[in-house]
Amino acid sequence: MTQPIRPDASRLLLRRVREVAATVVDRQDRLDGITAEIADAMGAEVCSIYIRHGQNRLLLTATMGLNAEAVHNTTLTVGEGLVGLVAERAQPVNLPEAAAHENFAHRPETGEEAFHSFVGVPLLRGGLVVGVLTVQNVRPRLYARDEVDALQTVAMLVAEVAASHEPPGDNNIGEDLRPVRLEGRVLNAGVTLGTAYMHEVRLPVQSMVSGGDAAAEIGRVDRALEEMHRALDDRFHAADLAGEGEHREVLQAYRMFAEDRGWLSRIHEAVRSGLSAEGAVARIQEQMRARMRQMHDPFFRERLHDLDDLSHRLLEHLVGEAGGMRKEALPADAVLITRHMGPAELLDYPREKLRALLLEEGSHTAHVVIVARALDIPVLGDLKDLPAIVESGDRVAVDGENGQVFIRPGIEVEQNFRHAMHAREERRAQFAVLRDKAARSADGVEVSLSINAGLLIDIRQVTAVGADGVGLYRTEIPFMVRSRFPDVEDQQRLYRRALDLAEGRPLVFRTLDIGGDKVLPYWRLAEEENPAMGWRALRLMLDRPQMLRQQLRAMVRAAGGRDLHVMFPMVAEVSEFARARTILYAEIDRERRRGRGGPAAVHAGAMLEVPALVWQMPALLRLTDFISVGSNDLLQFFFAADRTNPKMATRYDLLSPAVLAFFAHIVDSAEGANQPLTFCGEMAGGVLEAMALVGLGFRKLSVAPASVGPVKAMLRATEVAPLADYVRSLATLPDHTVRDKLRAYALDHEIPL
Ligand code: PEP
Ligand code: MG
């Protein structure tokens, strides 16, 4: 037997192992050869390689010195035995007397009881433990530090060898453990790290068939239902949901479903057909799921999700497992993962343990998303195949700013992430300091910063971030989350609440921008070839003036005694605006005639979203009180590039000479009209973009709440006069983009981006 490895011999060992890896073709022979080399170099009787399979299993895959029969038979789970301990800690374990350790797990088939000392090191790849390498000796001894170091070095190579092999059968070495990066849609922003927790709603129903006493089973259903109602009331009551908003509506609608007579009578009927109480609930649930699979309408899918959740909840009460199940084993930093879930299901989890919610489906108006936003939980949706890729217990890094998720990110990415989170916190703290400071440039130019909002919960941000008002309140969003078209009273309540939440700061209502891809569940529109350019927004409202009248009436009433700002989307010609404005004033007159005071002042504006309108500005400005540039639509028509087509997303740059020239023309056309020119497209939320817009002459920007701080910080460091000359000079260049030039300008002038 050779002497134990010397420090300088570790390179030699590495070379020998590499040689085996490079020259031996057969997978098993290669791993066997490696164990023989290591055992020899370490002067050990045993060297073994355990490879991780799936999330938890460590399989003895090669050994020198243990019983050959144990290979491909002996497994340990992560955390089990000394091998499992190494995998769990991702650290070496070095023991002179292995059996004396509390974690020691005796596996007689290996014959390892003959060996006293044990050293195990993790096989790490991309920050993940993909297996464990062990060395054992008969003689009790503590392995020297340099021996452990050498073993760790060689383990790196072994990990590569292990992973580079096509495993036999279903033994998928590390395949499902590799780091994965997914892109999704940010539904509620936030950056966080946590542990995956799969939201499972499987509940085994033991006895599907009733013992024959249908009345007794119906009694059980009814009692369980009663219990469920009580529990739901308690849950909603206890949920830490701030203030008013659409989340309340969503939960109320859910609550109403729980009272649905049709659902209950179908369950009763199923019991009468011979099923047990549980069987009947499960059966009706299956029927609904089958319907759900065929349903493409997002709204009805939401409703069916609610019913699915309710069925499950009722089952829990029937089998006596209500509530508790989901909280068990929930990590303290849970990243909840599911295809979709109902709004009430989210409330079953203790808020303090939830770091983020990741959905395979999901949209801004999904009920669970609305509730998650009220709870201030970061949410990403549209994460295709997510539940298939991740398992409970995986580490997950959620970048809810850039719409990315890293599954099993590895040590390095985690570290980067921690830094990013820290930096984000620091930035937040800086912006909080800026909150009450003026949005004034270094050379004294005032710029008004407002926010864009869709739900009531967004409006609350106006005070939180210190914005001047709400520059765009997209009224179709609350319509989209409701189950029926809100009548004038409903709308009035909603708009009044919106104005209240703005606390006296101006709030600009935009009339409904429906049609195209913004569908209302209760109002089906014919499919169109080209919906963005189709029957939508003001076009549709002018053709259905009753709807416009009702909406404006509700706004006029809600504003009673306060200023009313209304703007109309997708105006293509002045006459359209004129007609809309006439309807607005007719509603104001109507209110006055009825002795209701009406708004203190009225401001009627047009959105510049269709290029044709830009060429009618002199005529338009004679009728408007303000103008607002909706660059999301305006630029998609300007470049003829669909804003929803990912292939077009980077094709043209918003910071191109053509766009700057176009916007300069808009600013110049509004000059002298003595009315506000606002910019409310999402583009203004980008700091560099906002800098360019201020340089062009825009003095009112409406942005996402999170952008108010960064844009203000940029502004306070900027001298607008020289910037204006520079930006205008860029507008005549032949470049595809001037982004780099603007960035260089910012760097040179110490403007924070
Ligand atoms: C726009 O088009 O720029 C805009 C603000 O409206 P929306 O994004 O709602 O279409
Ligand atoms: Mg628009």
Side-chain angles (χ1 to χ4, degrees):
M1 189 177 292
T2 49
Q3 284 302 301
I5 196 163
R6 295 185 315 277
D8 60 346
S10 104
R11 249 189 298 144
L12 184 65
L13 171 60
L14 208 54
R15 194 175 326 137
R16 283 166 63 180
V17 169
R18 191 179 295 140
E19 235 166 67
V20 175
T23 54
V24 181
V25 177
D26 178 71
R27 168 182 196 272
Q28 189 62 47
D29 288 350
R30 204 183 287 189
L31 294 176
D32 289 345
I34 290 172
T35 55
E37 288 292 352
I38 296 173
D40 187 46
M42 297 277 294
E45 284 82 29
V46 175
C47 172
S48 311
I49 295 171
Y50 293 78
I51 290 181
R52 188 170 181 170
H53 293 256
Q55 189 59 30
N56 255 328
R57 216 156 60 90
L58 294 157
L59 178 70
L60 177 63
T61 309
T63 184
M64 165 77 210
L66 294 183
N67 291 339
E69 298 82 69
V71 174
H72 294 298
N73 283 324
T74 295
T75 57
L76 291 147
T77 53
V78 172
E80 184 193 8
L82 297 174
V83 171
L85 189 66
V86 174
E88 188 181 54
R89 291 188 184 161
Q91 295 278 353
V93 170
N94 181 2
L95 301 166
E97 194 57 75
H101 192 279
E102 52 171 13
N103 240 60
F104 181 75
H106 183 220
R107 287 292 151 89
E109 76 274 18
T110 61
E112 69 181 343
E113 58 277 11
F115 308 102
H116 290 268
S117 51
F118 169 98
V119 58
V121 298
L123 300 178
L124 290 163
R125 202 160 176 270
L128 296 168
V129 179
V130 297
V132 174
L133 175 67
T134 65
V135 164
Q136 290 167 277
N137 276 76
V138 174
R139 179 171 62 90
R141 59 174 293 236
L142 192 67
Y143 296 89
R145 171 107 182 249
D146 52 50
E147 291 178 284
V148 179
D149 284 350
L151 210 52
Q152 282 185 282
T153 311
V154 84
M156 283 163 56
L157 187 57
V158 177
E160 285 305 315
V161 174
S164 66
H165 281 80
E166 201 49 47
D170 67 349
N171 292 341
N172 221 350
I173 301 173
E175 183 61 51
D176 47 357
L177 295 170
R178 297 201 181 126
V180 179
R181 188 183 74 91
L182 290 180
E183 286 192 9
R185 194 141 51 112
V186 180
L187 300 175
N188 198 30
V191 177
T192 188
L193 260 174
T195 307
Y197 186 81
M198 306 301 286
H199 168 73
E200 305 250 19
V201 287
R202 255 174 280 128
L203 197 67
V205 173
Q206 305 291 356
S207 50
M208 285 292 283
V209 181
S210 110
D213 188 352
E217 291 298 301
I218 285 178
R220 286 185 61 221
V221 170
D222 292 350
R223 276 194 301 283
L225 201 68
E226 242 172 66
E227 256 182 47
M228 182 183 86
H229 284 162
R230 261 200 309 276
L232 273 177
D233 286 341
D234 291 349
R235 172 89 6 111
F236 289 177
H237 197 248
D240 184 20
L241 285 160
E244 273 178 67
E246 280 74 11
H247 55 279
R248 301 236 170 260
E249 308 248 349
V250 159
L251 292 173
Q252 259 165 24
Y254 177 90
R255 196 65 191 81
M256 267 162 57
F257 269 122
E259 313 270 359
D260 188 85
R261 303 304 307 168
W263 177 53
L264 185 61
S265 67
R266 282 201 301 281
I267 295 171
H268 282 177
E269 224 169 84
V271 169
R272 281 188 214 102
S273 76
L275 291 172
S276 65
E278 295 90 332
V281 176
R283 165 88 172 276
I284 302 303
Q285 185 180 26
E286 277 312 322
Q287 281 176 359
M288 284 185 318
R289 284 181 178 164
R291 274 185 64 203
M292 193 148 71
R293 275 190 282 274
Q294 291 156 7
M295 199 72 82
H296 296 295
D297 184 303
F299 179 82
F300 286 109
R301 284 177 66 87
E302 282 299 317
R303 284 289 167 248
L304 286 168
H305 278 304
D306 283 4
L307 278 170
D308 193 49
D309 175 21
L310 278 170
S311 307
H312 182 76
R313 205 168 284 275
L314 186 55
L315 277 177
E316 284 182 339
H317 283 278
L318 276 168
V319 299
E321 285 203 34
M325 230 178 55
R326 290 176 195 167
K327 291 188 208 111
E328 267 171 33
L330 183 72
D333 59 352
V335 173
L336 206 55
I337 292 175
T338 180
R339 202 155 72 80
H340 192 100
M341 65 161 72
E345 283 175 292
L346 185 63
L347 297 181
D348 289 343
Y349 291 94
R351 169 66 189 94
E352 68 279 6
K353 288 190 172 185
L354 292 183
R355 288 279 172 87
L357 171 65
L358 303 182
L359 302 167
E360 190 178 9
E361 300 179 356
S363 65
H364 281 286
T365 49
H367 296 167
V368 68
V369 175
I370 289 169
V371 173
R373 294 191 57 199
L375 291 168
D376 199 19
I377 297 169
V379 188
L380 258 75
D382 252 350
L383 292 158
K384 296 277 168 291
D385 300 326
L386 174 70
I389 294 168
V390 68
E391 284 185 41
S392 286
D394 281 346
R395 295 292 291 164
V396 185
V398 180
D399 177 357
E401 276 181 0
N402 302 302
Q404 302 191 82
V405 176
F406 300 86
I407 298 170
R408 302 178 287 274
I411 292 159
E412 260 180 43
V413 175
E414 272 212 25
Q415 253 159 16
N416 280 340
F417 229 81
R418 284 214 172 80
H419 289 146
M421 282 163 67
H422 185 66
R424 189 171 184 260
E425 277 316 307
E426 281 187 348
R427 274 204 314 273
R428 271 193 174 195
Q430 286 164 5
F431 299 145
V433 172
L434 277 185
R435 216 189 67 132
D436 301 317
K437 297 226 161 101
R440 189 183 304 122
S441 74
D443 54 348
V445 175
E446 304 268 352
V447 174
S448 160
L449 296 178
S450 298
I451 60 162
N452 295 344
L455 297 172
L456 290 177
I457 190 167
D458 301 328
I459 299 178
R460 245 182 263 136
Q461 293 290 315
V462 84
T463 43
V465 300
D468 293 331
V470 177
L472 165 66
Y473 175 44
R474 294 179 165 105
T475 58
E476 66 277 2
I477 307 286
F479 277 62
M480 286 164 79
V481 302
R482 279 166 173 75
S483 50
R484 58 184 179 85
F485 202 99
D487 61 18
V488 177
E489 279 72 40
D490 290 338
Q491 289 190 52
Q492 187 184 332
R493 252 195 311 277
L494 173 69
Y495 302 148
R496 179 171 296 137
R497 192 66 202 129
L499 287 168
D500 291 347
L501 286 169
E503 296 186 6
R505 300 169 200 211
L507 177 143
V508 180
F509 290 105
R510 175 178 73 184
T511 59
L512 284 181
D513 182 2
I514 47 171
D517 54 347
K518 291 178 186 164
V519 288
L520 299 183
Y522 34 83
W523 196 38
R524 317 293 307 161
L525 293 167
E527 295 225 338
E528 290 180 296
E529 191 79 5
N530 222 332
M533 296 199 271
W535 198 49
R536 61 174 273 206
L538 187 61
R539 299 162 179 191
L540 184 153
M541 296 284 266
L542 287 174
D543 291 351
R544 295 278 182 277
Q546 185 58 15
M547 241 163 78
L548 182 58
R549 259 183 233 124
Q550 288 189 357
Q551 193 179 24
L552 293 172
R553 190 173 306 159
M555 289 173 184
V556 167
R557 287 185 186 166
R562 299 184 272 199
D563 282 8
L564 174 63
H565 297 79
V566 181
M567 71 181 176
F568 300 99
M570 285 293 289
V571 180
E573 46 180 40
V574 178
S575 68
E576 288 172 339
F577 177 76
R579 283 162 65 200
R581 185 177 179 271
T582 303
I583 296 176
L584 170 64
Y585 276 95
E587 285 305 319
I588 293 167
D589 279 350
R590 186 176 184 270
E591 284 307 289
R592 294 217 167 108
R593 279 200 311 276
R594 291 176 176 222
R596 301 194 185 107
V602 181
H603 309 263
M607 285 186 83
L608 277 188
E609 296 189 286
V610 181
L613 197 61
V614 175
W615 310 106
Q616 304 165 64
M617 281 184 61
L620 180 70
L621 288 161
R622 282 196 282 278
L623 292 181
T624 49
D625 300 311
F626 67 95
I627 300 260
S628 192
V629 177
S631 59
N632 307 341
D633 274 310
L634 184 61
L635 293 184
Q636 77 162 337
F637 301 128
F638 183 67
F639 278 125
D642 183 349
R643 69 191 255 195
T644 63
N645 182 342
K647 287 206 186 80
M648 287 296 110
T650 54
R651 175 99 207 174
Y652 304 104
D653 197 354
L654 305 178
L655 292 177
S656 66
V659 172
L660 298 187
F662 189 42
F663 288 167
H665 175 76
I666 293 173
V667 170
D668 296 346
S669 304
E671 185 83 47
N674 207 18
Q675 60 182 268
L677 172 67
T678 307
F679 195 104
C680 69
E682 299 303 332
M683 173 181 170
V687 178
L688 196 63
E689 285 81 353
M691 185 185 94
L693 293 173
V694 169
L696 286 170
F698 286 95
R699 296 292 175 262
K700 277 175 162 290
L701 305 180
S702 190
V703 299
S707 294
V708 171
V711 170
K712 197 189 273 189
M714 173 279 293
L715 185 71
R716 292 175 59 87
T718 301
E719 300 250 354
V720 174
L723 173 69
D725 292 340
Y726 183 65
V727 176
R728 292 257 169 172
S729 76
L730 298 177
T732 52
L733 295 178
D735 306 30
H736 160 68
T737 174
V738 293
R739 186 171 292 274
D740 288 347
K741 292 189 168 67
L742 284 165
R743 195 173 288 126
Y745 181 95
L747 279 176
D748 289 348
H749 293 80
E750 292 177 20
I751 298 171
L753 294 180

